[in-house]
Amino acid sequence: MDADAPFRDTSVGDPTLDGLDGKQALGERALSKLHWRSRRGLLENDLFIKKFFERHESRLTVGHARGMYELMDLSDNDLLDILLKRKDLPEKPLTEEALEVLNMLRN
């Protein structure tokens, strides 16, 4: 590990993902937790998320999971507005992982 590299906290509340390489394939247990954590209160968000998993589940990585966890921290209404491009991205900048997942959710 490079001593001069800045420390990046990769924890997302799922200990199975902490400290892992973002390009590593997502394990079955972590995928199950991601499904559970991705449940939303608005049907519209759930439809986007369902389509995301149908299209991308077999090739999701640890980085995708981190990005999805970050997006799931948004309120339901904010998430829907961002998915539909009715609202700009949140004031706090999203990570590259979250932006990638957002693009995957939109397409």
Side-chain angles (χ1 to χ4, degrees):
M1 180 175 210
D2 183 1
D4 294 328
F7 173 75
R8 179 165 176 245
D9 182 10
T10 59
S11 62
V12 291
D14 181 353
T16 62
L17 301 180
D18 290 351
L20 297 179
D21 180 3
K23 295 181 193 248
Q24 182 176 334
L26 196 60
E28 187 176 325
R29 184 161 190 249
L31 181 61
S32 177
K33 286 183 177 186
L34 184 61
H35 270 280
W36 183 85
R37 176 63 176 87
S38 298
R39 294 176 301 139
R40 302 304 295 198
L42 287 177
L43 173 63
E44 293 86 347
N45 284 335
D46 281 335
L47 294 174
F48 274 100
I49 293 166
K50 179 182 177 193
K51 185 172 72 169
F52 168 83
F53 281 117
E54 287 172 354
R55 289 182 177 173
H56 305 290
E57 183 172 306
S58 64
R59 55 190 166 90
L60 291 178
T61 65
V62 169
H64 292 132
R66 287 187 193 127
M68 181 65 100
Y69 277 114
E70 187 176 345
L71 292 173
M72 293 302 105
D73 284 341
L74 298 171
S75 73
D76 281 337
N77 290 326
D78 286 343
L79 179 60
L80 182 60
D81 286 342
I82 290 169
L83 287 169
L84 295 174
K85 299 180 184 180
R86 293 190 300 205
K87 185 176 182 181
D88 291 330
L89 295 176
E91 214 172 275
K92 177 186 167 201
L94 295 174
T95 63
E96 287 296 320
E97 293 169 335
L99 291 172
E100 181 179 356
V101 171
L102 178 59
N103 188 44
M104 294 165 74
L105 281 161
R106 286 176 171 166
N107 296 318

